[in-house]
Amino acid sequence: MQFPSATILVAMLLPLPLFAAHPLITEDTGTQGKGNFQLELTSEHAYEEEDGTRETTVRTNAVLSYGLRDNADVILTLPHRRISSEAADGSRTVKQGTADIGLDLKWRFYEQENLSFALKPGLTTPTGDEMKNLGTGKSTRSLFLVTSYDAAPWEYHLHLGYIHNRNVLGQHESQRHISVAAGRKVSDKLKLAVDYGTDTPTSQASSLNTEFFILGAIYNLRKNLDLDFGAKWGLTPPETDFTWLAGVTFRF
């Protein structure tokens, strides 16, 4: 699939005072601060077409973060999925419901001048119906190393992770993730960002890693309230072809 390479190049050459956030996938080392909350409500509309079948997946998440300490957050993710498939003959099936609930801890263990590191261990519980492709049928575990570097006005984020994807679906159980993000604050209200990443494919039928690129924007509507928008392109066949991203973030 083609993607706007010229746009990417221009974006990467611009300065960027930005913390990574939805619609990006790459994590940052930022935390909420002791006693503070953040609530993200996100929606992702993904489109995939293969062998005459068009599949639309709507992923909605409520992500609540709480500052246990100034450098540590606990994060609860409540997901919902709606999967609609339309075959070439016009027949249509819809599956929807709660997906696997996630619980994570983000701990920023090092911070010196412009450089910081964080660890993010997590697990999911098998609350989604695996028969409807809404969950894996087993609990999964993950561990991510997050690096943020701020050389104002530039800022970079690196995200490295491993997922023990226990499942009953015949998927790869050992999965690896690498992604990088960058962005630019173009005004007091608006931030632009780019994100690139690659993952082990979920299906054992594929030996080709997934790759994606995201172009996004975050708009500060008022204090402690952000809106975000983005588009995600799949760069290899195992990755979803295209996804629209949107969300709202409250801090309190």
Side-chain angles (χ1 to χ4, degrees):
M1 175 171 290
Q2 297 296 318
F3 61 98
S5 56
T7 302
I8 298 172
L9 181 59
V10 171
M12 291 296 289
L13 292 176
L14 296 174
L16 59 123
L18 174 75
F19 283 124
H22 196 267
L24 304 184
I25 290 176
T26 300
E27 193 75 43
D28 65 79
T29 61
T31 53
Q32 303 309 312
K34 185 176 181 179
N36 295 327
F37 288 89
Q38 175 179 278
L39 176 63
E40 290 181 283
L41 303 176
T42 66
S43 181
E44 303 178 1
H45 293 244
Y47 304 93
E48 180 85 12
E49 190 162 351
E50 186 175 359
D51 298 329
T53 298
R54 180 179 175 85
E55 184 172 279
T56 302
T57 302
V58 180
R59 305 179 181 92
T60 55
N61 294 314
V63 183
L64 180 64
S65 302
Y66 173 71
L68 293 174
R69 300 174 59 181
D70 285 342
N71 64 339
D73 289 350
V74 60
I75 305 166
L76 176 66
T77 301
L78 303 175
H80 184 275
R81 302 290 182 266
R82 185 180 188 274
I83 305 171
S84 175
S85 298
E86 184 173 347
D89 61 6
S91 60
R92 187 166 177 264
T93 60
V94 177
K95 303 174 183 178
Q96 62 180 329
T98 301
D100 290 349
I101 293 174
L103 183 65
D104 300 89
L105 175 69
K106 182 160 75 168
W107 170 46
R108 187 176 61 254
F109 63 88
Y110 178 87
E111 186 172 12
Q112 187 68 34
E113 296 182 350
N114 299 337
L115 182 65
S116 57
F117 295 94
L119 286 175
K120 188 181 180 184
L123 60 87
T124 66
T125 58
T127 50
D129 187 344
E130 66 274 13
M131 301 302 294
K132 295 182 179 180
N133 202 26
L134 300 174
T136 65
K138 292 185 177 181
S139 62
T140 70
R141 296 184 290 272
S142 61
L143 179 62
F144 292 90
L145 173 65
V146 186
T147 304
S148 291
Y149 183 74
D150 182 6
W154 290 89
E155 188 170 310
Y156 308 90
H157 304 291
L158 173 65
H159 199 184
L160 306 175
Y162 173 80
I163 301 170
H164 185 200
N165 181 44
R166 300 174 65 244
N167 66 90
V168 299
L169 305 174
Q171 299 175 347
H172 281 295
E173 289 200 354
S174 180
Q175 299 184 353
R176 291 167 176 80
H177 168 87
I178 302 173
S179 63
V180 293
R184 179 181 186 249
K185 186 174 182 180
V186 297
S187 72
D188 290 340
K189 295 285 188 179
L190 181 63
K191 300 173 183 178
L192 301 180
V194 292
D195 197 357
Y196 167 81
T198 179
D199 296 89
T200 304
T202 300
S203 173
Q204 292 195 34
S206 176
S207 59
L208 183 65
N209 283 354
T210 67
E211 291 186 37
F212 66 84
F213 170 78
I214 296 174
L215 181 63
I218 302 170
Y219 183 77
N220 177 235
L221 191 62
R222 63 173 184 265
K223 184 180 179 180
N224 295 327
L225 177 58
D226 294 339
L227 303 178
D228 64 76
F229 308 92
K232 177 184 174 187
W233 288 266
L235 306 182
T236 55
E239 180 62 68
T240 301
D241 291 341
F242 182 79
T243 306
W244 286 113
L245 310 160
V248 57
T249 300
F250 306 89
R251 288 175 292 274
F252 51 98

